[in-house]
Amino acid sequence: MASSRRLITGLCATVVAMFGFGFALVPLYQVFCDITGFNGNTSNIVQAQTQGSDGVDYSRLVTVEFVTYISKGMQWQLTPQVEQMQVHPGQMIDMEFIATNLSREDQVGQAVPSVSPGQGANYFNKTECFCFNQQPLKAGDSASLPLRFFVATDLPQGIQTLTLSYTLYELPAPEQKAKGV
Amino acid sequence: MSTDAAINTGVSDDAHEHHDHKPSGFFARWVLTTNHKDIGSLYLLFSFAMFLTGGAMAMVIRAELFQPGLQLVEPNFFNQMTTVHGLIMVFGAVMPAFVGLANWMIPVMIGAPDMALPRMNNWSFWILPFAFSLMLMTLFMEGGGPNFGWTFYAPLSTKYSPDSTAVFVFAVHLMGISSIMGAINVIVTIVNLRAPGMTMMKLPLFVWTWLITAFLLIAVMPVLAGAVTMVLTDKYFGTSFFDAAGGGDPVMFQHIFWFFGHPEVYIMILPSFGIISAIIPTFSRKPLFGYASMVYATASIAGLSFLVWAHHMFTTGMPVAAELFFMYCTMLISVPTGVKVFNWVATMWRGSLTFEVPMLFAIAFIVLFTIGGFSGLMLAITPVDFQYHDTYFVVAHFHYVLVSGAIFSIMAASYYWLPKWTGYMYDDYLAKWHFWCSLISVNILFFPMHFLGLAGMPRRIPDYALQFANVNAVVSIGGFAFGLSQLIFLVVVIKCMRGKGERASAKPWEGAEGLEWEMPSPAPYHTHTTPPEIK
Ligand code: HEM
Ligand SMILES: [Cu+2]
């Protein structure tokens, strides 16, 4: 039954490989979304681009909107300085969000960004963002969180509005995390 | 494992006086059995028990939905009923029934003395009652059983799930292991244990479709195991595969789940195609039209089933290019499916048809499965799926393909081979009642759901708007009638098993062909101990 043994080994190897494949889908999915911007994943890599002399395309105006969501059960506020603005592609913009911890505990927040439409996500470049870091806030405290971004000049013509949304999540406090692991 | 096979074939090859040496005593006969026919019977009986259990849950669902408003059960319990009903019917009723049929019929059909790995076969069955006891136990745990739908989307199954989720994950792992062992066994048996002269293109189609199904199982059950494992670690061990707060993505869960889920629905229909391809020629008294095209159609359906998973996710905000890709691939699948339907119809064309109960179920299968295929095509059209998605239209679609498709084919197979299994003919009078009651009630139950869905009634909600009241009452009545009709089947099976009825001859169906009809009824405990001659 040598052929039978070889067949069984092959089948078992396939089972193991497919189990691995299920997990391999996780990084594959991330890479795929980063490259294509599907699912609104914004690129953290500043792309090379076609620019005017100072890099700004003054012939075009794009509306950028800001929205925030606080995850269920979390008592924070996250408010953008302005709700929307008009920007020229290539123009570097600085703005701020105000975060307030309204709860009675010291907590750590983490903002996760997403841009829609998804096709525009890759053209929205953040050079500095509070979402790169965790954000600890003492009970009752406020902090102003910086965001610095520009819209790439090669943004497809069809896109006139980009919406940047942040969802704010609560992270387990450091000592709690140590306990959990 | 392979020594298993060696010992087994060795034993059966030297067996001279091996008539009906069944082990004596309940424990040795059933719990320790490695006989493919015993294990096949165990699978079939288990699946029938699960069918009735899952059916009882469906009765709870339909009773709650009989009227608008909340009257019988808590919404959370309602959700547990829809979830566990789905899980039990998919993993406990349909899949084990097919494995049972495979165990019983594949060795007999290909001239093998038993399955290739008999001891593993015993394990793969006995894991199942254990897995389903665990699953059912969760309903009585604090916080209740799984309530997130059979598709267990994250974060419903991670962040918001009951404490029993760990048990659910363990049960799904066990079911997966059982299916994988069953699939390995089927492949090794078909590849290695065919009688001399039984070439691949002489295999009965039931064997072919099961071979392809087994490969699908091996490819996707491990992915399901991966998905539940990620749910487990997300919920209990602080990973964030599906949690955006930690850099994960809940939409990715859907991709992974449906990468398993779509091939899974074909796992539940390909063996049906094999059964129908055995029954239609028998009662048409003509060979199957287009045997080779059937084999290729089955293989291409299986191949394409890996390219269509995102048709379950049209509304998740995929880019247009991806929506179009998945839409066209999905529509492409209906081409090989259509080939099959046309081949069955062509087989019946100008045949001398008779309408014994297996044939009645087979013809009902062809008509009703095709209706389910059509509603599938409607769902495959991306822009309209935005209206249909998560409504009763989807519920109607998959019950047409699964109940009047897969389950009807299992009923057809049971009536077709019961004489071979038990040695007695089924009670024809009761069987006809069973068929006609099932046929009428299944349509009263599921056809109006199309309209409910088109009118916007969402699925998986225990209450609904007033304008849906009349149709829901009709649907519920159909549901109760269908449930009761299955009790007739229970009586028929019990009568056969207890030997009440006409004795069956070796070949009770005049037009039947295949090795199973060349042995007496009931089939002896050991068959093909010397390889049969293949003409
Ligand atoms: C011509 C063939 C088919 C096509 C084009 C098709 C298409 C589809 C589509 C597009 C959906 C997603 C609907 C939605 O959620 O909005 C769907 C759902 C479903 N289909 Fe099919 N289908 C076909 C055949 C089958 C078969 C043969 C089976 C099983 C035997 C099946 C079982 C299911 C199930 C179980 C679901 C619902 C899953 C859930 O959300 O719970 N389909 N089908
Ligand atoms: Cu599908």
Side-chain angles (χ1 to χ4, degrees):
Chain A
M1 294 311 271
S3 71
S4 174
R5 183 163 303 155
R6 200 160 348 114
L7 181 60
I8 295 166
T9 318
L11 293 172
C12 291
T14 315
V15 169
V16 175
M18 288 310 293
F19 187 70
F21 177 74
F23 284 88
L25 283 174
V26 176
L28 281 175
Y29 178 82
Q30 298 301 353
V31 170
F32 187 76
C33 291
D34 275 347
I35 295 175
T36 57
F38 285 6
N39 234 18
N41 273 17
T42 53
S43 170
N44 292 334
I45 309 150
V46 177
Q47 291 178 331
Q49 49 177 326
T50 48
Q51 304 174 329
S53 54
D54 60 350
V56 180
D57 178 357
Y58 289 105
S59 66
R60 224 179 135 188
L61 271 178
V62 180
T63 307
V64 178
E65 301 174 332
F66 304 98
V67 288
T68 61
Y69 301 97
I70 311 294
S71 67
K72 199 175 146 193
M74 191 180 182
Q75 292 170 345
W76 283 37
Q77 258 177 2
L78 181 65
T79 324
Q81 211 176 18
V82 289
E83 270 163 14
Q84 68 172 53
M85 56 170 70
Q86 305 265 313
V87 306
H88 294 294
Q91 196 181 3
M92 191 65 79
I93 308 283
D94 282 296
M95 72 165 294
E96 281 178 353
F97 284 64
I98 309 294
T100 313
N101 179 354
L102 298 173
S103 78
R104 294 207 195 116
E105 291 163 34
D106 302 350
Q107 289 179 334
V108 185
Q110 167 78 59
V112 177
S114 169
V115 171
S116 63
Q119 287 92 326
N122 261 354
Y123 303 91
F124 193 98
N125 295 304
K126 299 187 280 340
T127 56
E128 191 188 335
C129 172
F130 53 95
C131 57
F132 298 161
N133 304 305
Q134 302 182 352
Q135 195 57 55
L137 265 187
K138 294 219 174 346
D141 269 11
S142 287
S144 83
L145 309 176
L147 168 68
R148 169 177 260 253
F149 71 90
F150 66 93
V151 175
T153 43
D154 51 358
L155 178 74
Q157 286 299 328
I159 301 180
Q160 266 107 38
T161 306
L162 289 171
T163 307
L164 172 64
S165 80
Y166 282 109
T167 309
L168 191 66
Y169 292 95
E170 182 185 342
L171 293 184
E175 67 278 358
Q176 250 177 311
K177 199 173 188 176
K179 233 189 305 161
V181 171
Chain B
M1 288 179 220
S2 45
T3 40
D4 242 18
I7 290 166
N8 176 65
T9 37
V11 166
S12 9
D13 282 348
D14 323 323
H16 347 272
E17 292 299 317
H18 222 301
H19 297 301
D20 256 20
H21 284 179
K22 296 177 183 143
S24 51
F26 181 84
F27 190 77
R29 169 76 196 275
W30 295 108
V31 180
L32 300 180
T33 183
T34 55
N35 178 287
H36 73 100
K37 300 190 184 77
D38 281 352
I39 295 178
S41 306
L42 285 173
Y43 264 112
L44 287 165
L45 292 172
F46 174 78
S47 116
F48 196 20
M50 285 297 114
F51 179 60
L52 297 178
T53 314
M57 294 175 183
M59 296 299 104
V60 174
I61 297 171
R62 281 322 316 174
E64 175 60 50
L65 292 176
F66 188 76
Q67 286 178 18
L70 295 175
Q71 39 267 323
L72 292 175
V73 294
E74 302 270 335
N76 187 38
F77 187 73
F78 181 89
N79 289 348
Q80 292 172 44
M81 286 292 104
T82 53
T83 305
V84 182
H85 162 75
L87 290 167
I88 288 204
M89 288 305 196
V90 169
F91 296 105
V94 175
M95 289 169 67
F98 284 139
V99 182
L101 291 170
N103 263 295
W104 243 105
M105 301 319 296
I106 288 179
V108 165
M109 285 175 158
I110 66 174
D114 202 316
M115 295 295 277
L117 310 165
R119 220 153 297 169
M120 189 169 87
N121 209 7
N122 173 290
W123 271 103
S124 67
F125 172 73
W126 280 108
I127 285 179
L128 281 183
F130 186 60
F132 281 91
S133 311
L134 282 178
M135 175 93 90
L136 289 171
M137 217 175 66
T138 60
L139 291 174
F140 303 99
M141 288 173 63
E142 213 177 303
N147 56 3
F148 29 69
W150 82 279
T151 49
F152 60 101
Y153 278 12
L156 291 178
S157 58
T158 51
K159 216 171 185 169
Y160 303 105
S161 61
D163 292 339
S164 62
T165 305
V167 183
F168 156 81
V169 169
F170 185 50
V172 173
H173 273 148
L174 289 178
M175 293 164 204
I177 291 172
S178 161
S179 309
I180 289 172
M181 295 202 296
I184 291 180
N185 215 342
V186 166
I187 296 177
V188 179
T189 307
I190 298 176
V191 173
N192 283 343
L193 295 192
R194 276 171 290 130
M198 178 60 84
T199 57
M200 289 308 271
M201 287 318 262
K202 275 191 192 160
L203 288 179
L205 260 172
F206 179 68
V207 180
W208 254 117
T209 51
W210 237 112
L211 180 66
I212 293 168
T213 304
F215 277 107
L216 283 180
L217 278 166
I218 286 197
V220 301
M221 290 312 279
V223 177
L224 173 70
V228 286
T229 308
M230 290 183 228
V231 164
L232 183 80
T233 59
D234 264 18
K235 186 167 171 64
Y236 298 98
F237 301 105
T239 58
S240 11
F241 288 108
F242 309 127
D243 185 2
D249 189 336
V251 176
M252 186 178 68
F253 174 87
Q254 299 186 26
H255 283 288
I256 297 177
F257 180 83
W258 288 115
F259 184 84
F260 147 81
H262 188 81
E264 166 69 17
V265 308
Y266 281 98
I267 288 168
M268 293 189 284
I269 204 68
L270 294 185
S272 305
F273 292 168
I275 293 165
I276 302 305
S277 304
I279 293 176
I280 294 286
T282 296
F283 299 101
S284 308
R285 291 162 184 80
K286 272 175 66 190
L288 182 69
F289 184 88
Y291 173 90
S293 69
M294 286 297 219
V295 173
Y296 296 129
T298 312
S300 48
I301 290 175
L304 280 173
S305 73
F306 288 101
L307 297 179
V308 300
W309 77 87
H311 64 212
H312 298 271
M313 304 172 52
F314 283 143
T315 56
T316 54
M318 282 188 295
V320 177
E323 308 246 67
L324 287 175
F325 173 81
F326 286 109
M327 169 166 119
Y328 289 130
C329 282
T330 304
M331 292 183 167
L332 206 59
I333 290 202
S334 44
V335 176
T337 313
V339 167
K340 293 192 157 275
V341 173
F342 284 121
N343 281 348
W344 291 321
V345 175
T347 307
M348 289 196 283
W349 178 250
R350 299 207 162 153
S352 29
L353 302 184
T354 50
F355 300 95
E356 284 85 345
V357 176
M359 182 66 162
L360 291 175
F361 271 104
I363 295 173
F365 171 97
I366 298 177
V367 175
L368 299 180
F369 173 78
T370 305
I371 294 180
F374 281 139
S375 58
L377 268 175
M378 290 171 71
L379 291 165
I381 304 170
T382 310
V384 302
D385 184 65
F386 276 67
Q387 182 190 343
Y388 304 157
H389 180 65
D390 262 348
T391 68
Y392 260 79
F393 193 84
V394 178
V395 179
H397 159 66
F398 67 74
H399 282 94
Y400 262 89
V401 282
L402 284 172
V403 179
S404 54
I407 303 264
F408 268 32
S409 81
I410 294 166
M411 302 282 179
S414 306
Y415 283 115
Y416 188 56
W417 284 307
L418 259 177
K420 185 55 65 184
W421 300 335
T422 63
Y424 292 90
M425 295 305 285
Y426 53 81
D427 182 328
D428 192 53
Y429 176 76
L430 285 182
K432 287 226 161 79
W433 267 98
H434 174 222
F435 171 73
W436 287 107
C437 289
S438 298
L439 179 73
I440 294 167
S441 58
V442 87
N443 283 294
I444 299 176
L445 168 57
F446 295 122
F447 204 78
M449 285 187 185
H450 290 112
F451 305 118
L452 285 174
L454 291 178
M457 178 171 157
R459 60 190 282 212
R460 292 173 170 164
I461 310 274
D463 189 7
Y464 48 81
L466 278 182
Q467 70 266 29
F468 303 129
N470 293 341
V471 180
N472 267 296
V474 172
V475 166
S476 283
I477 290 169
F480 302 139
F482 185 76
L484 288 177
S485 313
Q486 303 323 305
L487 299 180
I488 309 179
F489 184 54
L490 180 65
V491 174
V492 173
V493 172
I494 291 178
K495 280 185 81 171
C496 266
M497 282 169 54
R498 301 181 124 202
K500 303 249 162 64
E502 232 179 283
R503 282 212 155 263
S505 62
K507 188 172 143 185
W509 316 119
E510 182 201 356
E513 274 181 49
L515 292 176
E516 75 261 39
W517 308 114
E518 287 168 19
M519 56 183 62
S521 299
Y525 198 57
H526 296 286
T527 44
H528 298 317
T529 44
T530 48
E533 221 178 292
I534 313 293
K535 284 158 276 170

